[in-house]
Amino acid sequence: MNNSDNEKMRIYKDLFGEVKNRLSEENQSKICSEEAFLSTVKNSTRKIRYENLDKLEGEDFLFAVFLSVFQRLPDENEIKYYSAFSKEEILKKIAHSGAYSIRKVEFEGCPYSVKPGFKGSIIGMASAVSSSTFLRSIAKKMPVKLQNRIRRLFA
Amino acid sequence: MKIYIDVSMIMIGTKFTGIPRVVMELVKRFSKEEKIEVVPVEYDVKKDKYRIIDSAKFAEFCSTKSGNRNKLRTNDLIAFDEFEEGSIFFDSDTVWKTRVKRSFLYPVLKEKRVNIVPFIHDIIPIEFPEFCGMDDVINFVDFTGAVLNYSDRILVSTNTTKNSIEALAESLKTTAPEIDIVTFGGEFKKFLSNKKDTSNAGDENETTNVSDVVKEIAEAGKYLIMVGTIEPRKNHKVLLDAYENMLKDDINLVIAGYVGQGMEDLISRIENNPNNRKGLWRIESANDEEIDYLYRHAYALSFSSYAEGFGLPLIEAMVRRVPIIASDTPINHEVAGDKAVYFGKDDWKELGDTVLHLLKNEDEYKALVEKTKDYIPPTWEDTAEGVIRVFENVCSGK
């Protein structure tokens, strides 16, 4: 990375730091670590550089994987669920989700074989053939809890 | 001048208020300009490219907000590194929510000498992350970092937002790109004749789409109105506190707006209030005519936000000559100026005192109404012209 790239990454780093400080001042929600966030900066749409994730451990790794694949943080249940697994197991379990299949993400340079499972592939196909705008308009009329469950399935 | 606009969120959206509304109003007007060629694009996950959206059909959709959006999609695709040199990539929608991270896209565009011009509506997720979902905050940080690192010019709608971005850049020890201010407009001309204190205020020809519930609210007595999505940063709490503790015997309260996430406690508080639907109303899906009707019959707009990108209800009130009681924030002062009276953001007692004072002092209330008399609202045409001027400056290197 040249000086210009270093300076640009510093902006992302310091900006994240400002936000995290603000949240601490307000005693507010948990956010990921700086390292987890920075590992996802410049991620392309479908290819995730696994080397950036592999540097992280524990919850940082899980948060970075979720941000890379789903562009969201894991919820409390997901954090608890995945805490028992190794990095390889986490990646394989996530790859079996419908959302992973829909997003067509690949981990570049990953030493493990990470492929969508049968269920994920079916949901991915179902999503592809249906009109998402139509489904969204239906889903928006549902109770909020059900909407969130649907979001988790496809997002 | 070729202008690319990422409309991925509009292509799947179900509500077209706030930021998407601004994008759609601009596209409608850009499509009539011969000197610019608008190219709406949508990210296609299967192809991992942007798909070109039919510009004319998209502009039509922006007017009707109905129809099968699949028919807007063309078979033409454009890879991230295929955007035309010298063109403008105008990021004006909630693009941080899309699959294409700007920390990835902007360097690619920069490499190809595409001019990057984002419209920053606000930086609330940076300044007030506590009011936002954490997923949105993280994605917005990625977006904002890319904006500061790669933009050629930034557009904003207020001086307050410009100052916020410049202050942020200073705190990060960097220099913000040049920032231009283009005020938001609206289609307010039709409301100029429906002013609060004229004989048109009760024009029955304008009530064909107004429900009986809304008419009953207007007939039930004086009321404060609050318009906007019910979410934490809008601070409906201070208004409810003032109403329950000080105002419920003197004035009614109408809260109009969609319900955002995480507001179950506030909604429950409204629904369990003894005055619910008798002096306190919550209206979720009012159409444009009903909102207009509620404004015209309102005693005052109460606008209690902690933070806003612009605050369109302030203009909607002023154009109808409805007095404003607003939270004491820089953005409210910038938009409403001396046409509003202000109260401390969390000070329900000051809000209550202000309302009671106006109720007891008719002359002061009339003076507040009078202040809105010469208010000339901006138009979307003004906004579109201002944005195009900035495009021209960017393309000519000014």
Side-chain angles (χ1 to χ4, degrees):
Chain A
M1 218 187 273
N2 59 32
N3 282 345
S4 173
D5 289 340
N6 282 337
E7 174 59 14
K8 287 180 166 54
M9 283 307 290
R10 182 192 71 75
I11 298 297
Y12 290 110
K13 177 176 181 288
D14 289 354
L15 188 50
F16 182 81
E18 288 230 356
V19 168
K20 195 156 182 178
N21 286 342
R22 172 76 189 196
L23 286 167
S24 297
E25 284 167 15
E26 297 293 318
N27 297 316
Q28 287 293 325
S29 315
K30 191 181 173 80
I31 197 169
C32 64
S33 69
E34 177 186 282
E35 291 76 17
F37 167 71
L38 288 175
S39 74
T40 68
V41 170
K42 297 189 183 180
N43 269 351
S44 75
T45 43
R46 281 162 58 168
K47 289 187 176 8
I48 311 297
R49 289 161 295 166
Y50 182 73
E51 60 172 340
N52 289 343
L53 304 179
D54 198 37
K55 294 172 192 170
L56 306 169
E57 297 295 334
E59 215 170 73
D60 279 354
F61 176 81
L62 178 67
F63 277 40
V65 170
F66 263 73
L67 286 173
S68 297
V69 177
F70 306 122
Q71 283 175 274
R72 66 170 179 86
L73 296 169
D75 61 31
E76 301 252 340
N77 290 334
E78 286 164 332
I79 294 170
K80 209 180 282 186
Y81 173 72
Y82 284 105
S83 64
F85 300 114
S86 66
K87 288 182 183 180
E88 180 179 1
E89 286 167 330
I90 287 172
L91 292 175
K92 287 185 172 178
K93 285 184 178 299
I94 282 173
H96 279 90
S97 70
Y100 179 87
S101 182
I102 290 166
R103 289 174 162 259
K104 302 191 185 309
V105 172
E106 287 172 43
F107 291 105
E108 272 188 331
C110 181
Y112 318 117
S113 173
V114 179
K115 289 187 176 118
F118 177 71
K119 177 188 118 183
S121 298
I122 295 296
I123 293 176
M125 282 195 304
S127 169
V129 301
S130 60
S131 163
S132 65
T133 311
F134 174 68
L135 283 179
R136 277 173 182 269
S137 65
I138 301 282
K140 287 281 184 186
K141 291 173 186 159
M142 294 178 181
V144 170
K145 278 188 181 167
L146 188 52
Q147 284 188 46
N148 286 338
R149 288 188 75 178
I150 293 171
R151 255 185 218 110
R152 289 286 186 259
L153 189 62
F154 286 101
Chain B
M1 242 191 324
K2 188 171 269 189
I3 314 295
Y4 296 100
I5 306 179
D6 185 340
V7 298
S8 304
M9 295 306 293
I10 291 175
M11 289 297 286
I12 60 171
T14 55
K15 289 194 183 86
F16 304 111
T17 58
I19 292 175
R21 167 84 186 274
V22 173
V23 179
M24 293 164 88
E25 294 293 344
L26 287 175
V27 167
K28 273 159 56 178
R29 285 152 184 89
F30 288 167
S31 66
K32 296 173 188 168
E33 285 287 337
E34 285 182 2
K35 53 186 167 182
I36 62 174
E37 179 193 352
V38 176
V39 184
V41 295
E42 177 195 23
Y43 177 64
D44 185 312
V45 67
K46 276 183 283 189
K47 304 292 185 188
D48 196 21
K49 292 182 179 181
Y50 274 112
R51 178 176 299 283
I52 292 179
I53 302 299
D54 185 296
S55 180
K57 289 178 183 173
F58 186 75
E60 174 69 22
F61 173 76
C62 290
S63 291
T64 62
K65 299 182 182 63
S66 64
N68 185 348
R69 272 169 270 183
N70 280 329
K71 293 185 178 175
L72 310 183
R73 297 179 172 106
T74 71
N75 292 326
D76 298 324
L77 298 165
I78 181 167
F80 302 125
D81 60 355
E82 288 178 344
F83 287 89
E84 211 171 279
E85 181 176 332
S87 64
I88 289 182
F89 195 87
F90 179 47
D91 254 349
S92 44
D93 201 356
T94 53
V95 296
W96 56 91
K97 295 176 189 269
T98 70
R99 281 292 303 277
V100 188
K101 291 166 77 75
R102 269 35 189 175
S103 59
F104 159 72
L105 178 65
Y106 281 4
V108 176
L109 296 178
K110 204 72 177 173
E111 182 78 17
K112 293 298 174 182
R113 300 188 192 189
V114 173
N115 296 298
I116 299 169
V117 182
F119 202 129
I120 306 299
H121 302 269
D122 59 68
I123 56 168
I124 289 170
I126 306 288
E127 292 181 302
F128 303 98
E130 66 270 26
F131 292 136
C132 307
M134 286 303 105
D135 301 336
D136 266 348
V137 170
I138 290 172
N139 291 323
F140 194 81
V141 170
D142 182 280
F143 169 67
T144 307
V147 165
L148 290 173
N149 277 330
Y150 298 104
S151 294
D152 293 282
R153 194 73 62 97
I154 294 174
L155 279 163
V156 299
S157 61
T158 62
N159 209 44
T160 303
T161 303
K162 180 179 177 184
N163 291 341
S164 293
I165 296 172
E166 287 174 343
L168 177 65
E170 194 176 321
S171 72
L172 296 174
K173 297 184 177 47
T174 190
T175 309
E178 192 172 334
I179 303 174
D180 286 304
I181 303 173
V182 179
T183 305
F184 283 157
E187 289 177 5
F188 298 112
K189 284 184 184 161
K190 61 183 174 180
F191 301 120
L192 287 173
S193 62
N194 286 351
K195 292 176 189 173
K196 182 179 156 57
D197 60 344
T198 71
S199 58
N200 289 340
D203 188 345
E204 291 309 314
N205 290 335
E206 300 292 332
T207 64
T208 47
N209 287 328
V210 177
S211 66
D212 288 341
V213 168
V214 168
K215 288 179 188 173
E216 280 163 22
I217 290 171
E219 286 161 11
K222 288 178 182 169
Y223 60 89
L224 295 175
I225 186 168
M226 168 92 173
V227 177
T229 304
I230 301 175
E231 54 181 326
R233 71 177 173 89
K234 298 286 190 180
N235 195 15
H236 289 76
K237 182 182 173 305
V238 76
L239 182 56
L240 269 179
D241 288 342
Y243 173 76
E244 287 173 355
N245 290 292
M246 295 178 74
L247 301 175
K248 63 181 186 296
D249 296 327
D250 296 280
I251 195 165
N252 296 333
L253 176 59
V254 176
I255 294 174
Y258 292 112
V259 181
Q261 292 211 334
M263 299 306 294
E264 293 81 11
D265 286 349
L266 189 112
I267 300 303
S268 183
R269 187 178 165 188
I270 293 171
E271 288 173 358
N272 292 325
N273 188 294
N275 281 358
N276 187 29
R277 298 193 194 110
K278 290 183 283 190
L280 168 65
W281 288 271
R282 183 176 72 83
I283 298 171
E284 186 156 357
S285 309
N287 59 43
D288 286 348
E289 285 84 359
E290 287 172 329
I291 292 291
D292 176 53
Y293 192 92
L294 286 169
Y295 268 122
R296 285 191 284 116
H297 291 84
Y299 180 78
L301 171 77
S302 179
F303 198 66
S304 49
S305 291
Y306 286 114
E308 285 288 339
F310 188 71
L312 206 53
L314 296 171
I315 297 192
E316 291 177 337
M318 286 191 285
V319 78
R320 294 171 175 88
R321 302 191 64 183
V322 177
I324 298 167
I325 305 166
S327 51
D328 188 15
T329 61
I331 191 78
N332 287 347
H333 278 278
E334 180 174 347
V335 176
D338 67 350
K339 295 173 180 53
V341 289
Y342 299 92
F343 64 92
K345 283 176 289 196
D346 288 312
D347 198 336
W348 59 260
K349 193 168 181 315
E350 189 177 7
L351 170 56
D353 284 337
T354 303
V355 175
L356 290 174
H357 180 81
L358 286 173
L359 285 168
K360 290 170 188 164
N361 292 275
E362 184 68 17
D363 287 346
E364 283 192 37
Y365 178 77
K366 283 181 179 170
L368 207 52
V369 174
E370 192 63 18
K371 280 187 179 179
T372 63
K373 183 180 170 186
D374 297 321
Y375 177 70
I376 300 171
T379 64
W380 284 119
E381 281 70 26
D382 295 333
T383 308
E385 278 171 25
V387 173
I388 290 171
R389 259 199 306 278
V390 171
F391 290 161
E392 287 171 336
N393 289 342
V394 168
C395 287
S396 63
K398 284 186 194 164

